[in-house]
């Protein structure tokens, strides 16, 4: 029975918590797995982490005392602690970009009913003199359809809180909790904390804008590609000329050309970055036009060598980057000598002599 005896209600909550804990932990793990499955099927999301926990017993009691106890006792309203703790299970999704917070929220709505939403991004941004933790909190429960499924039966009645943050918001939250005094402190210290928070907010915004600018650069990269001519004379590639503005070979212009010649290849950004850096080390003045010309002039021959190599080396690797290395070497043996290891270069030259 509810009462106004806090000590009694605290003991009652602790006993109920201990009894529920195994089921809560199972529900937490299950919700994490379900969310990972949902988000993995959602396009254009960069999720870096999905983690969860059951709120600590003492943390629950402290939250009740801080938020509800005084008002209940002031109004002489008997209470039990457990009904006031609706976020015993907490799951956190960390993504890369701020515009993905709402995408995550939309993705989970197909499986969960939203009990409540706390938009801390809007709350902070609508207050001109305030900085602080930003993120999106949703109190969720399974939809009736999902709750009726046998695989969800053990925890279908358990709601949970979903926190959605960017990786920068998550970092700020961790650091923010380490700042011991933030409210009743001298104005100069408070201002420094606000400046620090603003820097994190600026970093989040810049990160998003860099992503958008990167995608725009890739879309706008000049298109000099043409269908490869397998009969082109290997000596027809012109010598490099001085670079004109915007003519450099960079990650974006490389991808524009490489995606044309290797339509089914998924070029991972970090590998592209390193590979283009290698090409520019071999030939510091190489232009996008020069790279494209070398590829067109040699790719037919290299594709035939690739087939020969794979026929004789079933376990060997001859991926798109290997093809490009051979194309560059074949197009300009002096400049791109380092593109191939000695053994690869010797094997290629032996094949060329035989099939010239």
């Amino acid at each position: 029975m509810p009462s106004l005896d806090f000590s009694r209600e605290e003991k009652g909550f602790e006993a109920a918590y201990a009894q529920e804990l195994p089921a809560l932990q199972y529900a937490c793990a299950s919700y994490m797995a379900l969310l990972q499955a949902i988000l993995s099927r959602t396009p254009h999301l960069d999720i870096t982490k999905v983690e969860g926990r059951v709120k600590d017993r003492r943390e629950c009691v402290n939250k009740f005392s801080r938020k509800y106890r005084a008002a209940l006792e002031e109004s002489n309203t008997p209470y039990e602690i457990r009904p006031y703790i609706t976020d015993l299970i907490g799951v956190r999704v960390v993504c890369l970009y701020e515009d993905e917070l709402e995408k995550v929220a939309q993705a989970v709505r197909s499986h969960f009913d939203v009990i409540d939403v706390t938009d801390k991004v809007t709350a902070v941004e609508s207050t001109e003199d305030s900085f602080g933790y930003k993120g999106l909190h949703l109190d969720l429960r399974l939809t009736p359809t999902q709750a009726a499924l046998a695989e969800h039966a053990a925890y279908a009645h358990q709601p949970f809180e979903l926190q959605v943050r960017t990786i920068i918001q998550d970092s700020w939250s961790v650091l923010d909790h380490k700042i011991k005094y933030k409210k009743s402190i001298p104005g100069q210290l408070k201002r420094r904390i606000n400046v620090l928070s603003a820097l994190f907010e600026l970093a989040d915004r810049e990160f998003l804008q860099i992503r958008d600018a990167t995608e725009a650069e890739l879309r706008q990269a000049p298109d000099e590609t043409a269908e490869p001519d397998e009969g082109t004379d290997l000596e027809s590639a012109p010598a490099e000329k001085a670079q004109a503005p915007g003519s450099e070979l960079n990650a974006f212009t490389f991808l524009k050309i490489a995606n044309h010649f290797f339509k089914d290849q998924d070029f991972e950004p970090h590998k592209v970055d390193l590979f283009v850096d290698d090409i520019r080390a071999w030939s510091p003045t190489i232009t996008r036009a020069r790279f494209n010309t070398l590829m067109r002039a040699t790719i037919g021959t290299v594709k035939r060598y690739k087939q020969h190599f794979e026929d004789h080396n079933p376990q060997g690797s001859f991926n798109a980057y290997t093809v490009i290395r051979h194309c560059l070497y074949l197009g300009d043996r002096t400049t791109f000598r380092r593109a191939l290891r000695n053994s690869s270069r010797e094997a290629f030259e032996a094949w060329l002599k035989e099939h010239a």
Side-chain angles (χ1 to χ4, degrees):
M1 290 290 293
S3 74
L4 290 170
D5 184 340
F6 178 73
S7 295
R8 172 186 164 183
E9 296 307 324
E10 181 180 10
K11 290 178 181 177
F13 172 77
E14 290 177 347
Y17 178 95
Q19 185 175 3
E20 283 187 68
L21 185 58
L24 290 169
Q25 291 171 332
Y26 177 76
C28 182
S30 300
Y31 281 135
M32 287 173 58
L34 181 56
L35 282 166
Q36 286 172 325
I38 294 168
L39 298 176
S40 68
R41 298 191 298 268
T42 305
H44 310 302
L45 272 182
D46 286 301
I47 303 301
T48 64
K49 181 168 59 176
V50 177
E51 59 185 6
R53 72 182 184 103
V54 177
K55 190 183 289 288
D56 179 75
R57 178 177 55 189
R58 176 48 47 189
E59 192 179 350
C60 294
V61 173
N62 290 342
K63 177 180 179 179
F64 173 82
S65 296
R66 185 176 65 254
K67 295 188 68 173
Y68 307 110
R69 180 183 173 186
L72 290 168
E73 293 180 354
E74 180 71 22
S75 63
N76 206 37
T77 303
Y79 58 80
E80 292 178 329
I81 294 175
R82 178 65 179 89
Y84 290 89
I85 308 301
T86 58
D87 58 348
L88 266 171
I89 299 172
V91 179
R92 180 178 302 149
V93 171
V94 180
C95 47
L96 286 182
Y97 304 105
E98 197 167 10
D99 65 351
E100 293 177 330
L101 271 61
E102 184 55 36
K103 291 179 184 177
V104 172
Q106 289 295 337
V108 302
R109 285 189 170 100
S110 61
H111 285 72
F112 302 99
D113 284 335
V114 180
I115 303 168
D116 191 26
V117 177
T118 304
D119 184 354
K120 293 181 180 288
V121 174
T122 301
V124 170
E125 290 182 349
S126 64
T127 307
E128 63 182 21
D129 62 346
S130 175
F131 299 103
Y133 165 73
K134 294 167 65 177
L136 186 63
H137 291 195
L138 301 95
D139 291 329
L140 302 172
R141 62 183 165 218
L142 287 168
T143 63
T145 301
Q146 291 293 320
L149 297 176
E151 61 263 34
H152 301 324
Y155 53 90
H157 63 289
Q158 288 285 0
F160 71 101
E161 180 189 61
L162 174 63
Q163 297 178 356
V164 191
R165 302 173 178 174
T166 68
I167 196 168
I168 292 175
Q169 291 167 359
D170 194 46
S171 299
W172 170 248
S173 177
V174 173
L175 292 173
D176 186 48
H177 279 83
K178 297 299 182 181
I179 300 174
K180 296 180 179 179
Y181 308 102
K182 289 176 284 190
K183 303 282 187 184
S184 55
I185 59 175
Q188 184 180 8
L189 277 177
K190 186 180 293 186
R191 180 176 179 277
R192 290 173 66 181
I193 294 170
N194 286 350
V195 168
L196 180 61
S197 175
L199 289 173
F200 274 76
E201 183 174 334
L202 179 62
D204 230 346
R205 188 176 306 161
E206 283 296 306
F207 198 33
L208 176 61
Q209 290 177 354
I210 288 170
R211 182 204 66 184
D212 292 343
T214 298
E215 292 173 354
E217 285 284 349
L218 186 55
R219 288 193 300 271
Q220 295 169 10
D223 189 354
E224 299 182 11
T225 57
E227 288 301 319
D229 181 358
E230 299 198 6
T232 301
D233 182 358
L234 299 183
E235 302 302 323
S236 65
E240 294 195 30
K241 299 178 181 178
Q243 290 208 41
S247 68
E248 69 173 359
L249 181 70
N250 55 38
F252 308 121
T253 51
F254 171 88
L255 277 171
K256 197 84 167 190
I257 295 167
N259 282 325
H260 172 78
F261 290 111
F262 305 94
K263 291 181 171 58
D264 297 326
Q265 175 72 31
D266 182 19
F267 288 97
E268 297 177 55
H270 73 283
K271 291 184 179 178
V272 168
D273 200 33
L274 293 172
F275 189 63
V276 174
D277 196 46
D278 283 342
I279 294 174
R280 297 200 300 194
W282 302 327
S283 177
T285 60
I286 190 169
T287 64
R288 52 183 166 79
R290 172 70 167 158
F291 174 67
N292 183 52
T293 300
L294 290 170
M295 290 297 299
R296 289 178 57 198
T298 60
I299 195 168
T301 301
V302 174
K303 282 184 175 179
R304 291 195 295 273
Y305 176 66
K306 177 179 184 290
Q307 185 63 56
H308 164 82
F309 178 89
E310 291 175 343
D311 289 344
H312 290 79
N313 300 274
Q315 305 303 318
S317 173
F318 211 107
N319 59 30
Y321 293 105
T322 307
V323 171
I324 294 171
R325 285 173 177 271
H326 281 76
C327 286
L328 292 174
Y329 170 75
L330 183 56
D332 188 337
R333 287 171 167 83
T334 302
T335 301
F336 295 105
R337 182 177 178 81
R338 290 182 295 159
L340 298 180
R341 295 188 181 93
N342 289 343
S343 58
S344 298
R345 188 166 57 247
E346 290 166 3
F348 188 32
E349 286 290 356
W351 181 87
L352 288 170
K353 287 180 182 178
E354 186 178 338
H355 294 81

